[in-house]
Amino acid sequence: MSEPERPPQPLVVSLAALTVVSGIVDAVSYLGLGHVFTANMTGNVVLVAFGLAGAPGFSVTASLCALGCFVGGAITGGRLARRVQPYRSLLMLAVRLEAGFTAAAAVIAGTVAVLGAGWPRYTVIALLAFAMGIRNAIVQRLTFPEMTTTVLTGTLTKLASDSSLAGGTNHNAAYRTTSVLCMFGGALVGAVLVVHLQPGWALGIACMLLVTTAAYFSRAAPLELGLAP
């Protein structure tokens, strides 16, 4: 079986940047918003179960808020994908929308006295989860599934099962490893900022990364991104 064509480098770099943002956002949500994820929905399903079991420190309401807003964002992203073409324009729109929602969340996080309770908590959860839903619905339509930008379970499974240790050829190992490292790096940066400064700084940096990525999309030619019609 022949090897598939390699994805263009600009697309790989852009998806890597979005993966870093996912790590930052989940660090903010889990550490700053009270044990909830806004990018990793698998985690929220598990956290709902923990909360229903009566485990301390977990909020069923917060996790359900994130799940519901993510699903709403994914529905919105699906509708956008059916109306906006080509994929380059669609992806630029997704990143710009995410930048806007993240900026709004950063303003709230940076101005309220208490972020992890009341309306600020649920508003920031809703903004971030909705934006992630839009992004995921659109990224999954790209022709390069090796970098999903939010989910690593499948990535790690492929990385291990296709490795030379498993008798494989290390197919796409570089891209899969990049996703893991980007998620780790984003989570580390986000955690450091939340613990030692405050969540607004972390979300501000995430917003800057998104704005930079959107600018990169607007400058790169469609063929360079591999997203021509």
Side-chain angles (χ1 to χ4, degrees):
M1 185 172 60
S2 61
E3 291 289 317
E5 184 179 353
R6 290 186 177 184
Q9 192 65 22
L11 179 59
V12 172
V13 172
S14 301
L15 293 177
L18 294 180
T19 306
V20 172
V21 171
S22 296
I24 295 174
V25 164
D26 262 348
V28 170
S29 59
Y30 195 83
L31 298 176
L33 298 174
H35 293 175
V36 63
F37 293 107
T38 50
N40 179 8
M41 292 301 119
T42 303
N44 279 325
V45 172
V46 174
L47 295 182
V48 169
F50 291 170
L52 290 175
F58 298 98
S59 169
V60 173
T61 306
S63 294
L64 288 177
C65 175
L67 283 166
C69 291
F70 182 91
V71 170
I75 292 171
T76 302
R79 294 185 69 88
L80 289 172
R82 289 169 174 82
R83 297 183 180 184
V84 178
Q85 294 293 333
Y87 280 151
R88 174 177 177 268
S89 299
L90 179 63
L91 196 50
M92 281 196 296
L93 175 60
V95 176
R96 287 169 176 166
L97 287 173
E98 185 176 346
F101 285 117
T102 305
V107 170
I108 295 172
T111 56
V112 298
V114 178
L115 179 62
W119 73 265
R121 180 191 192 191
Y122 286 96
T123 302
V124 171
I125 289 173
L127 288 169
L128 296 178
F130 188 80
M132 282 291 171
I134 293 175
R135 186 222 287 182
N136 274 261
I138 290 172
V139 167
Q140 74 169 356
R141 295 176 180 271
L142 304 181
T143 57
F144 184 56
E146 299 300 335
M147 301 179 73
T148 62
T149 75
T150 55
V151 181
L152 291 184
T153 303
T155 301
L156 288 169
T157 301
K158 292 176 183 177
L159 184 62
S161 63
D162 291 340
S163 69
S164 54
L165 293 175
T169 60
N170 296 309
H171 176 61
N172 281 333
Y175 303 124
R176 294 164 182 169
T177 302
T178 296
S179 288
V180 174
L181 292 177
C182 287
M183 183 71 75
F184 174 82
L188 179 60
V189 170
V192 168
L193 291 172
V194 171
V195 171
H196 297 287
L197 291 175
Q198 65 115 248
W201 283 95
L203 291 176
I205 288 177
C207 183
M208 289 176 60
L209 278 172
L210 290 166
V211 170
T212 301
T213 303
Y216 183 52
F217 284 157
S218 67
R219 290 175 63 86
L223 290 176
E224 291 177 345
L225 282 171
L227 300 176

